[in-house]
Amino acid sequence: GRGRAAWGERTFADLMAVTDAAAARDDVDGTRTAAMGGSFGGYMANWIAGHTDRFQAVVSHASLWSLGAFAGATDYPWAWTAEYGDPLEHPERYRSASPQSAADRIRTPMLVVHGDKDYRVPIGEGLRLWWDLVSREVDAKFLYFPDENHWVLSPGNTRIWYETVLAFLDHHVLGKDWQRPELL
């Protein structure tokens, strides 16, 4: 039903309240922040990017971007029908809950990470997110794993994931020169 389908707004408010509380601490530098998440956390990272410019960087892993397209491509379509109704009957529900609906407002640099064998959140979500960013001249990078699924699990790829995420954050949050990870 529609009452449950407002996850973007509700979760965003909670995340910003937690961010405010953390930034108010004496031992936290609230001027150097990033948002990142995977799966639903990636959905929220995308939502955050379209609803605030508070963060210096956003990392989005295996994330949902365009819910209408996603709902029929995931290996779990019945969950989306239960949450939002049939996408053909209620396209406005999917559109309003999609981070993509705020694509024109995103200015924060983003790292998009996705595995090609992700059937929960198919690769098309990451590719479309990246394209929507670069076509709007947002500073965006895409880290693609042809042999990974929803999570990056192999040891070598895990190292690449961490090195790339940390290099991206070093550059955008700490102001260091961009250093391409050696493993890439």
Side-chain angles (χ1 to χ4, degrees):
R2 181 64 188 135
R4 296 186 320 185
W7 349 312
E9 298 95 348
R10 290 179 189 162
T11 308
F12 177 73
D14 289 345
L15 290 171
M16 292 301 96
V18 168
T19 302
D20 290 340
R25 292 177 49 112
D26 291 337
D27 60 342
V28 172
D29 182 350
T31 66
R32 297 189 312 174
T33 59
M36 62 185 294
S39 195
F40 175 75
Y43 166 89
M44 283 312 303
N46 297 341
W47 189 274
I48 286 167
H51 290 83
T52 183
D53 61 358
R54 177 177 188 162
F55 300 96
Q56 285 73 50
V58 172
V59 178
S60 179
H61 175 97
S63 67
L64 294 74
W65 178 242
S66 177
L67 295 186
F70 162 77
T74 179
D75 65 353
Y76 205 54
W78 52 88
W80 300 96
T81 302
E83 187 77 14
Y84 292 99
D86 184 308
L88 297 177
E89 293 174 19
H90 304 286
E92 71 287 348
R93 292 179 184 173
Y94 286 83
R95 197 170 30 258
S96 68
S98 292
Q100 185 186 36
S101 65
D104 289 335
R105 295 192 301 249
I106 297 175
R107 295 291 167 260
T108 305
M110 289 186 69
L111 172 61
V112 178
V113 183
H114 222 103
D116 201 353
K117 297 188 182 320
D118 187 345
Y119 303 116
R120 183 58 35 102
V121 181
I123 186 70
E125 290 294 291
L127 292 169
R128 181 61 190 263
L129 166 58
W130 179 81
W131 173 249
D132 284 348
L133 294 170
V134 298
S135 67
R136 287 164 176 77
E137 299 181 358
V138 175
D139 183 356
K141 294 192 180 316
F142 190 88
L143 180 59
Y144 168 73
F145 290 98
D147 56 345
E148 294 287 358
N149 57 65
H150 197 53
W151 303 113
V152 175
L153 300 175
S154 72
N157 287 343
T158 301
R159 283 190 60 204
I160 291 169
W161 189 97
Y162 276 101
E163 285 188 11
T164 305
V165 168
L166 292 174
F168 187 80
L169 296 176
D170 279 349
H171 179 63
H172 290 289
V173 178
L174 300 181
K176 296 180 180 180
D177 289 339
W178 170 251
Q179 294 292 320
R180 181 186 170 116
E182 288 183 24
L183 292 173
L184 286 182

